[in-house]
């Protein structure tokens, strides 16, 4: 099986040291990306680690597909214990950093400890015998700096563009529980608050550069060129409207959360639809090497607002869920979240929760003010920065989260399989973990579609989809490759049998689950605010556990006995 190459780089911020470890056997077993990060996290983060403490570790990696020039591969994975969910969380981001990360020559980078000074950590190409080239720079001048200012600083002082930089904005420094790690200025490791993990460690930025990947030669199969060609010639509406192409469909089938989840369709949808977003798009946008180019650089000439996006989930969180019906207001919230370094979904949902408590739905000026207050933890923003799960009682609101993570769109009350996927996801209420919604709108061929209501026959498909997505996140391949990177092509690209890839995905999901079990997670966490309204929810959950070989209480057999439930990860040299 193809896998990422290079050693593990460990950066100890407390000691200000860097060291490398050969992890060849582990790479052969877990490929790269989320799989590699998860196996390392399972073995190296104490199960009782404080998410914002020095013992938590943040892992960054790419996978073998980053050595190709194939579309859908300009992405990376990040993993740590989440300060939002308190469980292990992997997040995925596009942009242009992945090739510079592989250029530095490491399969993965591990960040541990804590620095008293605000630091930039500069990672350069690994030496021929594995000796690291890492420097630590105090960057007091960047304290509370916004994301674009961080990029400007390294362009000026290090001659590095934003495609070399991962950083946190003020929200990360202020430990907002849904702060992002930002890369390439506008792309985010958004879900799970990994920016707060980096900020708590005293790291403002990481930079990566080198040419180590030029040494790596891979004999790619024909499927690599086929995928690239199809990405270039596809006439998918996503190439014009990105994920917002689904907004009106979601509204039609009552899957568009609105007014802080009180409703599932929005009368103002036309003002925030994919067409409105497309009208503001001023050029094509993409990730490294990707000919599909579904990103959305947008600008409003009248107000001067310029951003990348909003994507569908931001349209939901800062649009329909906030009662806001003007796409420019959503663009402005998107721009602010990127500059301040916050997940637009969790931020938009907690803002919507506050608007409900104040009877202020639709107040776009208040939305902007709240976003800034949250990032700097000022006024009521200090409480909202804790996220919906921790703050809802104080505001008399319902807890619209799973495992502490606020819901994304594609409402599970209409799309019941997606609802089950929100419940089982190890990282909480996120649509991309199990990604069941395409089968239920449907956005897939009719023979793959499911009736959105009910759960009959869905658990086996959900298990297979969660496993497949874990493989894509390990490879690392974008999930919007659906329909192009078929199962057969994925197997060819990774030089593997598809059944073996399913097994890999299952091991990754199980390791996440076992880690979270050790932190106290069980069946009671795999639930939904509307679980009782979905016919057969409990039976489907039990079927899901049985298919995975887990206990009916949602735990992995043996997880509490110090056993490695997924098969021992090979020892590192
Ligand atoms: S499909 Fe879109 S999000 Fe995915 S890698 Fe390509 S440009 Fe990036």
């Amino acid at each position: 099986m193809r896998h990422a190459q290079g050693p593990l780089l460990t950066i100890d911020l407390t000691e200000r040291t860097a060291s490398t470890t050969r992890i060849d056997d582990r790479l052969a077993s877990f490929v790269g990306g989320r799989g590699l990060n998860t196996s390392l996290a399972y073995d190296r983060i104490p199960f009782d680690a404080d998410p914002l403490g020095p013992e938590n570790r943040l892992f960054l990696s790419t996978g073998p597909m980053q050595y190709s020039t194939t579309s859908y591969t300009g992405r990376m994975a990040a993993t740590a214990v989440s300060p939002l969910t308190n469980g292990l969380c992997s997040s995925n981001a596009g942009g242009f950093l992945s090739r510079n990360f592989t250029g530095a020559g490491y399969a993965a980078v591990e960040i541990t400890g804590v620095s008293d000074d605000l630091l930039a950590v500069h990672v350069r190409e690994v030496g021929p015998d594995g000796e690291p080239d890492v420097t630590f720079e105090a960057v007091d001048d960047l304290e509370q700096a916004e994301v674009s200012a961080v990029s400007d600083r390294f362009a000026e002082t290090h001659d590095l563009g934003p495609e070399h930089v991962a950083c946190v904005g003020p929200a990360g420094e202020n430990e907002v529980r849904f702060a992002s790690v930002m890369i390439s200025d506008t792309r985010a490791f958004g879900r799970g608050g990994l920016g707060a993990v980096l900020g708590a460690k005293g790291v403002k930025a990481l930079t990566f550069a080198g040419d180590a990947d030029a040494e790596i030669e891979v004999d790619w199969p024909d499927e690599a060129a086929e995928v690239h060609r199809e990405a270039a010639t596809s006439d998918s509406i996503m190439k014009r409207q990105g994920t917002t192409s689904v907004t009106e469909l979601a509204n039609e089938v009552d899957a568009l959360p609105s007014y802080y989840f009180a409703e599932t369709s929005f009368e103002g949808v036309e003002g925030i639809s994919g067409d409105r977003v497309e009208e503001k798009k001023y050029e094509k946008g993409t990730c490294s090497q990707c000919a599909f180019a579904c990103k959305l650089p947008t600008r409003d000439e009248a107000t001067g607002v310029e951003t990348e996006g909003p994507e569908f989930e931001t349209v939901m969180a800062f649009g329909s869920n906030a009662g806001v019906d003007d796409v420019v207001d959503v663009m402005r919230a998107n721009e602010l979240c990127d500059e301040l370094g916050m997940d637009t979904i969790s931020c938009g949902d907690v803002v919507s929760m506050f608007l409900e408590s104040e009877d202020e739905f639709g107040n776009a000026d208040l939305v902007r003010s709240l976003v800034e207050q949250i990032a700097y933890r000022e006024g009521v923003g200090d409480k909202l920065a804790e996220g919906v799960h921790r703050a809802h009682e104080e505001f008399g609101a319902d807890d619209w989260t799973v495992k502490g993570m606020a819901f994304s769109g594609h409402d599970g009350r209409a799309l019941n399989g997606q609802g089950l996927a929100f419940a089982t996801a190890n990282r909480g209420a996120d649509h991309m973990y199990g990604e069941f919604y395409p089968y239920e709108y449907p956005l897939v061929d009719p023979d793959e579609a499911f009736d959105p209501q009910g759960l009959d026959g869905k658990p086996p498909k959900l298990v297979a989809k969660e496993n497949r997505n874990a493989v894509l996140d390990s490879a690392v391949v974008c999930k919007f490759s659906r329909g192009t990177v078929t199962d057969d092509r994925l197997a060819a690209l990774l030089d593997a049998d598809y059944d073996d890839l399913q097994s890999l995905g299952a091991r990754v999901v199980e390791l996440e689950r076992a880690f979270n079990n050790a932190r106290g997670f069980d069946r009671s966490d795999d639930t939904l605010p509307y679980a009782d309204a979905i016919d057969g929810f409990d039976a489907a959950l039990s079927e899901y556990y049985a298919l995975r070989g887990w206990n009916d209480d949602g735990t992995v057999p043996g997880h509490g006995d110090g056993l490695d439930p997924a098969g021992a990860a090979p020892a590192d040299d």
Side-chain angles (χ1 to χ4, degrees):
M1 202 179 296
R2 290 195 175 88
H3 55 76
Q5 298 185 40
L8 167 70
L9 171 65
T10 299
I11 297 169
D12 186 326
L13 298 162
T14 308
E15 302 296 329
R16 299 239 180 141
T17 58
S19 58
T20 57
T21 308
R22 292 203 67 83
I23 52 171
D24 299 0
D25 290 346
R26 189 185 292 269
L27 284 167
S29 186
F30 286 97
V31 173
R34 175 176 152 202
L36 175 62
N37 288 356
T38 300
S39 83
L40 289 164
Y42 186 87
D43 285 343
R44 297 167 77 96
I45 301 177
F47 290 143
D48 62 353
D50 174 355
L52 297 174
E55 65 274 26
N56 195 7
R57 294 173 184 234
L58 179 74
F59 295 91
L60 292 168
S61 64
T62 54
M65 292 310 301
Q66 281 59 46
Y67 308 127
S68 77
T69 53
T70 300
S71 291
Y72 305 112
T73 62
R75 304 192 70 85
M76 292 183 61
T79 303
V81 179
S82 161
L84 192 65
T85 70
N86 200 35
L88 197 63
C89 177
S90 285
S91 189
N92 189 285
F96 298 89
L97 182 65
S98 62
R99 260 73 188 186
N100 289 312
F101 184 94
T102 55
Y106 299 100
V109 172
E110 169 188 48
I111 300 157
T112 186
V114 63
S115 167
D116 293 334
D117 302 321
L118 192 64
L119 289 180
V121 183
H122 303 292
V123 179
R124 298 296 176 264
E125 189 171 326
V126 62
D129 296 320
E131 64 275 21
D133 180 356
V134 174
T135 54
F136 300 87
E137 177 189 3
V139 289
D140 295 347
D141 56 310
L142 290 177
E143 193 176 332
Q144 301 296 321
E146 296 185 358
V147 168
S148 61
V150 178
S151 291
D152 291 347
R153 159 72 153 73
F154 293 117
E156 196 178 314
T157 59
H158 292 70
D159 198 22
L160 291 175
E163 67 275 15
H164 292 270
V165 180
C167 71
V168 299
E173 285 184 68
N174 298 327
E175 299 178 12
V176 173
R177 287 187 186 270
F178 42 85
S180 309
V181 176
M182 300 299 297
I183 60 178
S184 307
D185 273 349
T186 56
R187 310 299 172 82
F189 293 109
R191 305 243 67 190
L194 303 188
V197 174
L198 204 54
K201 290 186 174 304
V203 175
K204 183 68 178 178
L206 298 148
T207 70
F208 298 91
D211 290 314
D213 51 338
E215 309 287 314
I216 297 170
E217 287 187 14
V218 181
D219 188 15
W220 292 104
D222 293 344
E223 283 81 354
E226 289 170 16
V227 165
H228 197 53
R229 192 162 48 244
E230 282 187 25
T233 57
S234 164
D235 62 357
S236 167
I237 191 173
M238 280 190 70
K239 293 176 95 166
R240 293 189 282 113
Q241 299 187 354
T243 50
T244 65
S245 56
V246 80
T247 307
E248 287 188 298
L249 174 60
N251 193 60
E252 275 167 32
V253 303
D254 280 332
L256 183 66
S258 304
Y259 299 105
Y260 190 60
F261 303 99
E263 298 181 24
T264 51
S265 64
F266 183 48
E267 73 281 0
V269 68
E270 207 185 309
I272 55 172
S273 67
D275 287 345
R276 296 292 85 74
V277 172
E278 187 180 355
E279 285 168 8
K280 301 298 180 190
K281 189 174 169 182
Y282 63 90
E283 65 179 9
K284 279 190 171 183
T286 192
C287 303
S288 172
Q289 304 290 353
C290 188
F292 192 68
C294 75
K295 303 313 292 180
L296 299 166
T298 54
R299 183 163 56 214
D300 179 59
E301 301 295 346
T303 59
V305 175
E306 188 170 320
T307 186
E308 187 169 83
E311 297 290 350
F312 167 73
E313 300 299 340
T314 313
V315 162
M316 179 281 294
F318 278 110
S320 58
N321 223 18
V324 168
D325 62 4
D326 184 337
V327 74
V328 178
D329 288 323
V330 180
M331 286 167 58
R332 202 178 265 120
N334 190 70
E335 179 190 29
L336 266 179
C337 281
D338 284 353
E339 277 289 356
L340 300 169
M342 291 188 287
D343 173 30
T344 57
I345 303 172
S346 290
C347 189
D349 282 353
V350 81
V351 164
S352 298
M353 180 194 78
F354 182 78
L355 296 179
E356 180 193 58
S357 73
E358 297 290 305
D359 199 15
E360 286 283 356
F361 281 126
N363 186 339
D365 290 338
L366 179 57
V367 168
R368 285 196 292 280
S369 170
L370 289 168
V371 171
E372 292 191 329
Q373 288 179 62
I374 290 169
Y376 293 102
R377 283 189 174 270
E378 291 171 348
V380 72
D382 189 38
K383 295 194 173 81
L384 299 179
E386 292 295 296
V388 166
H389 179 64
R390 289 172 177 81
H392 72 282
E393 280 181 6
E394 183 157 350
F395 296 95
D398 291 334
D399 183 8
W400 280 93
T401 67
V402 174
K403 302 182 180 78
M405 182 176 281
F407 275 89
S408 47
H410 312 300
D411 200 299
R413 287 168 288 185
L415 312 174
N416 291 170
Q418 181 56 51
L420 182 64
F422 283 137
T424 59
N426 285 321
R427 73 174 183 175
D430 187 76
H431 58 299
M432 295 309 286
Y433 190 96
E435 202 194 359
F436 207 85
Y437 64 91
Y439 301 116
E440 297 184 304
Y441 276 123
L443 304 173
V444 295
D445 290 339
D447 60 333
E448 280 198 282
F450 280 87
D451 183 336
Q453 286 294 300
L455 293 171
D456 280 355
K458 294 181 182 178
K461 189 70 178 179
L462 176 58
V463 168
K465 193 66 195 295
E466 285 183 344
N467 292 349
R468 190 181 199 281
N469 278 4
V471 174
L472 291 175
D473 286 343
S474 303
V476 173
V477 176
C478 180
K479 299 184 189 78
F480 298 146
S481 62
R482 65 174 85 105
T484 301
V485 178
T486 59
D487 294 350
D488 287 346
R489 282 176 170 165
L490 184 60
L493 291 171
L494 293 179
D495 193 20
D497 292 334
Y498 189 72
D499 286 349
D500 291 340
L501 294 182
Q502 276 284 315
S503 299
L504 164 65
R507 283 190 290 130
V508 174
V509 170
E510 188 162 296
L511 270 186
E512 293 171 341
R513 171 68 51 153
F515 188 99
N516 287 354
N517 290 156
R519 290 177 72 82
F521 285 73
D522 60 20
R523 183 181 184 121
S524 64
D525 298 291
D526 294 339
T527 191
L528 298 164
Y530 46 85
D532 291 346
I534 297 181
D535 200 25
F537 179 83
D538 278 338
L541 194 56
S542 290
E543 184 182 350
Y544 170 90
Y545 295 147
L547 287 163
R548 288 211 174 277
W550 297 348
N551 300 318
D552 197 50
D553 65 358
T555 62
V556 177
H559 76 274
D561 302 327
L563 303 177
D564 180 346
D572 303 319
D573 296 333

